[in-house]
Amino acid sequence: MSNKPDPQVLETAIAAASNAHTGLHQAIHELRHGSVTEGKQIIARQIAALANALMIL
C-alpha cells in the first residue's frame, strides 16, 4: 500500500507551500526595507499556511 496522498490533495499542498514560499520572500523584503511588525505578521501567516498544508497531507 502506497503512502501517497490523493493527487488533488497533493497539488493543493504544493500550491500552499509555493504561496508560503512567495510570502516568505515578501516577509524578508518587509524586514529589510519596510516594517518589522509587518514582516513578523507575514511570517506568522506563512507558518499557519504551511501547518495547514501539513494537515491535509
Side-chain angles (χ1 to χ4, degrees), residues 1-20:
M1 178 179 243
S2 177
N3 195 20
K4 284 184 150 184
D6 177 89
Q8 187 172 358
V9 171
L10 185 57
E11 285 302 315
T12 300
I14 290 169
S18 179
N19 289 340

Side-chain angles (χ1 to χ4, degrees), residues 14 18-19 21 23 27 30 33 35-36 39-40 44 46-48 54 56:
I14 290 169
S18 179
N19 289 340
H21 174 257
E30 285 296 330
H33 307 293
S35 164
V36 171
K40 288 168 60 176
Q46 303 321 309
I47 290 169
L54 282 174
I56 67 169

Side-chain angles (χ1 to χ4, degrees), residues 9 19 24 28-29 38 43-44 56:
V9 171
N19 289 340
L24 289 173
I28 290 166
H29 177 80
E38 180 66 18
I43 291 170
I56 67 169

